[in-house]
Amino acid sequence: MMRLLDEARKLSIFTAYNANVDAIVYLNSEIIQRLIDEFGAEAVKRRMEEYPREINEPLDFVARLVHALKTGKPMAVPLVNEELQAWFDSHFKYDVERMGGQAGIIANLLANLDFRKVIVYTPHLAKKQAEMFVNKPNLFYPVVEDGKLVLKHPREAYREDDPIKVNRIFEFRAGTAFKLGDEMITVPYSGRFIVSARFESIRIYTEPELKPFLPEIGLGVDGAILSGYQGIKPRYSDGKDANYYFREAKKDIMLLKREKDVKVHLEFASIQNRELRKKVIYNLFPLVDSVGMDESEIAYVLNALGYSKLAERIFTYNRIEDTVMGGKILIDEMNLEVLQIHTIYYLMYITHADNPLSEEELRQSLELGTTLAAARASLGDIRSPEDFKVGLNVPYNERGEYVKLRFEEAKRRLRTREYKVVIIPTRLVSNPVSTVGLGDTISTGAFTSYLALLRRKGAL
């Protein structure tokens, strides 16, 4: 496993677009109770039934938070009212402020693992944001000076007046108990509730002066990991809309691939708005080679593609065979090279049968992903390649054997001859230091080791 990581570390990777500051609150019974009492249990229950899709006022936040605590499921809900920032800042003391956003987390992870070269791009780079990037010599931010592409460390490339995005993350622990009126609720699983800032000022795009240099960036890297499209809004006050930004996003991917067919991985994140979800799927999936998502996200995607019954089954029963069926549909309809699905208990790859890697090699790639995530969960962060070894001591989850059994049954029932489908149980840390960024860590470990294995075979 260390050998595969060493091979992956010889790669150069480009990652974009979303970086933000994560302000983290570790919830306890007292904080939760205080919030419910402030608004009254009845008002909270009523708003929970309405199930607001975005946060416009404090009660929306409390209702969705209590819903997440009750089910123990990780959730992310957009905060659209910029004025509410003051309410959050006055109600909570943040335990930790650190790098957030998929591109930011992935860039720091790769830089700390001593990858050959890591180029990170985010259209907004305020000073506070730039300081969240690790101070490593292999980490670069692309800027244009005198008509040429120049790579600088992010801390040397910040812009004073750029806006900054703060996502507030409420980490909850299994066993935390609180009262909602007469009902006593105990949180069933550890997880997090994310209040993600979705403001006008934060956009997902490549600045016009950098765009012509994307082919040069693509030529200089072995792979690209793109994310953050969930931050695009349906429309903006300046007249631009989602269609405009998706057209530009498509151009970016084609420009990255213009000089050489660099492998591109898209890390999908939950998008509440069905129309926007469809735009990501139909505009971007066909242009990329690899997509990563979790099992609730695959249900959202299938729903947007019109497979609502299958999506409903995945949401309700969470059966492996439904996820496999959904994955097959996705790689066929979008002509993906590889689909990677991460869940709490297992990781899965689905590729077509002609993929250059064997099932065993695909398994090794997933193993590297779960081991890297286990190291991150154990330590809170990965600061050097040596930290990876911590993950090797983390046991597979207790449902591991059950997962393998269910998978074999699913394979017997479904026609999988035209595909390679591999599944591995995850290594599960019983008391994680943090759960933030684990999905991104799995996807990064899996995609970069996938590239390293392709290179080993002369297929990259």
Side-chain angles (χ1 to χ4, degrees):
M1 190 90 75
M2 264 329 260
R3 181 185 157 214
L4 182 53
L5 179 63
D6 289 341
E7 286 178 46
R9 285 170 49 212
K10 295 188 176 114
L11 300 168
S12 296
I13 303 288
F14 172 66
T15 182
Y17 291 85
N18 56 336
N20 56 266
V21 174
D22 276 349
I24 299 166
V25 175
Y26 296 113
L27 288 172
N28 55 34
S29 304
E30 202 181 312
I31 298 172
I32 300 162
Q33 204 62 61
R34 194 186 71 217
L35 286 168
I36 293 169
D37 295 346
E38 183 177 335
F39 294 94
E42 287 313 308
V44 173
K45 280 186 198 166
R46 273 198 306 276
R47 190 59 59 92
M48 279 169 79
E49 278 166 24
E50 290 166 23
Y51 199 73
R53 295 276 176 188
E54 51 185 34
I55 295 168
N56 277 297
E57 57 176 352
L59 186 55
D60 295 337
F61 158 70
V62 179
R64 285 299 303 267
L65 173 67
V66 173
H67 180 269
L69 295 169
K70 204 172 170 177
T71 56
K73 286 202 168 163
M75 301 256 174
V77 184
L79 170 66
V80 290
N81 180 352
E82 210 157 338
E83 289 168 11
L84 274 194
Q85 303 226 69
W87 182 86
F88 279 101
D89 294 345
S90 67
H91 273 68
F92 299 100
K93 185 185 154 297
Y94 303 115
D95 295 296
V96 184
E97 283 192 315
R98 66 166 183 215
M99 174 66 83
Q102 293 151 301
I105 288 171
I106 290 165
N108 277 354
L109 172 67
L110 293 172
N112 279 336
L113 284 170
D114 292 342
F115 269 61
R116 175 168 288 168
K117 184 166 68 180
V118 184
I119 303 173
V120 60
Y121 175 71
T122 171
H124 310 291
L125 191 64
K127 188 172 188 212
K128 183 172 183 175
Q129 187 66 69
E131 285 166 352
M132 299 262 157
F133 284 100
V134 293
N135 199 6
K136 300 283 282 214
N138 58 343
L139 182 59
F140 301 98
Y141 183 91
V143 291
V144 178
E145 289 179 357
D146 303 326
K148 287 194 177 67
L149 178 69
V150 180
L151 298 178
K152 294 181 162 184
H153 191 278
R155 294 185 188 191
E156 289 163 17
Y158 71 86
R159 295 175 291 267
E160 284 293 354
D161 300 327
D162 270 14
I164 190 159
K165 175 176 168 167
V166 180
N167 279 349
R168 293 163 178 87
I169 297 177
F170 297 85
E171 296 255 355
F172 52 82
R173 278 279 160 87
T176 307
F178 60 94
K179 279 184 84 167
L180 181 63
D182 301 329
E183 190 184 358
M184 194 71 193
I185 295 170
T186 303
V187 178
Y189 306 104
S190 297
R192 62 190 182 277
F193 181 78
I194 303 176
V195 176
S196 48
R198 292 268 197 281
F199 304 141
E200 271 271 319
S201 55
I202 303 289
R203 311 233 176 155
I204 296 293
Y205 68 104
T206 301
E207 294 154 293
E209 62 270 25
L210 183 65
K211 230 174 170 64
F213 294 95
L214 287 174
E216 193 179 325
I217 290 173
L219 198 56
V221 295
D222 301 294
I225 302 175
L226 305 180
S227 56
Y229 301 108
Q230 67 274 16
I232 294 175
K233 290 164 78 82
R235 58 196 55 81
Y236 296 86
S237 55
D238 60 5
K240 291 191 173 111
D241 63 3
N243 289 327
Y244 167 82
Y245 285 104
F246 281 112
R247 276 197 302 274
E248 293 303 311
K250 281 164 79 168
K251 283 183 206 163
D252 286 0
I253 296 170
M254 290 180 330
L255 285 166
L256 275 172
K257 285 175 164 279
R258 197 176 77 190
E259 297 301 318
K260 77 166 184 196
D261 191 13
V262 64
K263 298 278 184 207
V264 174
H265 172 86
L266 188 154
E267 188 59 21
F268 189 74
S270 58
I271 299 171
Q272 303 272 341
N273 180 314
R274 190 165 184 236
E275 287 309 306
L276 286 180
R277 206 184 305 149
K278 279 169 87 164
K279 287 185 199 303
V280 173
I281 298 160
Y282 284 112
N283 282 283
L284 306 182
F285 281 21
L287 295 179
V288 302
D289 306 278
S290 164
V291 171
M293 62 180 72
D294 68 26
E295 80 272 36
S296 65
E297 285 153 3
I298 193 168
Y300 278 131
V301 169
L302 290 165
N303 189 298
L305 290 174
Y307 295 92
S308 52
K309 284 203 172 81
L310 179 56
E312 198 52 52
R313 286 211 304 273
I314 293 173
F315 270 132
T316 314
Y317 304 112
N318 221 339
R319 283 195 306 244
I320 287 175
E321 71 179 88
D322 292 331
T323 307
V324 172
M325 196 186 290
K328 283 165 54 177
I329 289 169
L330 208 52
I331 70 162
D332 283 343
E333 295 211 359
M334 295 298 146
N335 200 16
L336 293 170
E337 182 176 320
V338 58
L339 173 67
Q340 178 259 109
I341 298 164
H342 42 266
T343 78
I344 187 166
Y345 295 115
Y346 66 85
L347 307 183
M348 185 190 291
Y349 263 149
I350 302 179
T351 75
H352 287 111
D354 62 355
N355 190 285
L357 299 190
S358 67
E359 291 195 353
E360 183 46 44
E361 287 167 321
L362 289 167
R363 222 170 268 117
Q364 285 172 26
S365 168
L366 291 178
E367 281 289 351
L368 192 137
T370 192
T371 306
L372 200 56
R376 185 185 180 103
S378 304
L379 300 166
D381 204 357
I382 287 182
R383 292 189 175 81
S384 78
E386 284 300 301
D387 285 352
F388 176 77
K389 290 176 180 164
V390 173
L392 292 167
N393 299 322
V394 174
Y396 293 99
N397 71 75
E398 76 284 358
R399 295 197 196 176
E401 288 311 309
Y402 174 78
V403 162
K404 285 180 194 163
L405 203 67
R406 283 281 166 269
F407 177 58
E408 288 311 318
E409 279 177 16
K411 263 175 65 170
R412 275 200 298 277
R413 270 204 292 270
L414 299 166
R415 290 203 12 246
T416 56
R417 205 175 323 155
E418 293 130 48
Y419 308 88
K420 286 176 183 166
V421 186
V422 300
I423 196 166
I424 65 154
T426 52
R427 295 179 185 267
L428 208 54
V429 178
S430 48
N431 280 311
V433 173
S434 169
T435 58
V436 174
L438 294 185
D440 302 327
T441 303
I442 289 167
S443 290
T444 303
F447 178 63
T448 55
S449 57
Y450 176 78
L451 296 181
L453 289 159
L454 284 180
R455 176 177 268 190
R456 196 192 276 180
K457 289 208 144 166
L460 185 66

